[in-house]
Amino acid sequence: MKHAVIFDMDGTLFRTDLILKLALDETFEHLRKNGEWDGPTPIDEYRKIMGVPLPVVWKTLLPQHDEQTREEVDAYFLRRLIKNIQNGNGALYTGVLELFEQLNHRGYPVFIASNGLVAYLQAIVTHYELDHWITETYSIQQIDTLDKGDLVAEIVNKYELQDGFVVGDRLSDIMAARANGLTSIGCRFDFAQEVELKEADYVVNHLSDILDIVSKKTTSL
């Protein structure tokens, strides 16, 4: 397999912002009822670290809580995220399905490499019927290092990729591309930060811009 396009999920394909506050509010309300939290939901703190693995999220948001409590909160939050997806409270970014169809039509396999957990990613893929276009979905949960560069390496090695692209909105996506000798495409979407996007090989404002980059880059190789 010569070329492939590897996508991040949250803030790149899926509008996580539409369910994030709902699920986080539900989770911290649960903590308040149990006497384990006092104060507003730390949504702004979460937005700042959006894209990191969930264990890092809870260490950041709940620094005074023990590991068992964090694991319980993680499980509760995951259930609320999935329920909100199933209830149709989320959405894909405009142009996702059209881009997938065009990439498949032109012979570019599509993969997902995400810091999201397996059950969460599967809920999105199932709800929006993305399996029709996606070759395989990879979760950070599948590797011990919690490093997205290592996760992308799993795809590169399994499918013997000679070249390809990593598309995402955060520095972890850009660095994962660099670590594996792939081209990075940064998405200037909801959670993106300009200082991180400066590290990308290309930056897009809309998913519709990606096909042209992929086509031109692969034609010149």
Side-chain angles (χ1 to χ4, degrees), residues 77-91:
F77 181 61
L78 177 62
R79 291 196 297 272
R80 299 318 306 163
L81 284 172
I82 290 174
K83 181 57 67 175
N84 277 289
I85 292 167
Q86 294 171 340
N87 288 343
N89 293 327

Side-chain angles (χ1 to χ4, degrees), residues 87-213:
N87 288 343
N89 293 327
L92 299 177
Y93 281 96
T94 301
V96 169
L97 300 184
E98 292 84 355
L99 175 59
F100 280 4
E101 184 173 5
Q102 291 172 335
L103 287 171
N104 279 191
H105 179 70
R106 300 190 186 196
Y108 301 112
V110 170
F111 295 89
I112 303 296
S114 170
N115 281 337
L117 300 183
V118 172
Y120 167 74
L121 296 173
Q122 190 56 51
I124 297 173
V125 169
T126 299
H127 186 79
Y128 296 101
E129 301 180 345
L130 300 181
D131 272 336
H132 181 71
W133 294 279
I134 296 172
T135 299
E136 192 168 355
T137 298
Y138 283 73
S139 162
I140 201 71
Q141 194 176 7
Q142 296 169 242
I143 59 170
D144 294 331
T145 64
L146 300 183
D147 186 313
K148 184 167 274 192
D150 293 338
L151 187 63
V152 169
E154 292 282 323
I155 302 174
V156 171
N157 294 332
K158 178 177 178 178
Y159 290 91
E160 299 180 343
L161 301 184
Q162 298 177 32
D163 208 334
F165 304 80
V166 177
V167 182
D169 64 320
R170 299 307 303 266
L171 185 61
S172 60
D173 305 302
I174 296 167
M175 298 309 293
R178 187 176 299 172
N180 288 279
L182 305 179
T183 300
S184 58
I185 301 178
C187 297
R188 189 178 280 117
F189 298 167
D190 295 289
F191 301 106
Q193 298 181 15
E194 287 300 318
V195 67
E196 296 182 356
L197 292 177
K198 289 180 181 178
E199 300 294 326
D201 296 311
Y202 298 90
V203 176
V204 298
N205 294 311
H206 306 283
L207 288 173
S208 57
D209 299 329
I210 292 174
L211 186 65
D212 187 50
I213 294 172

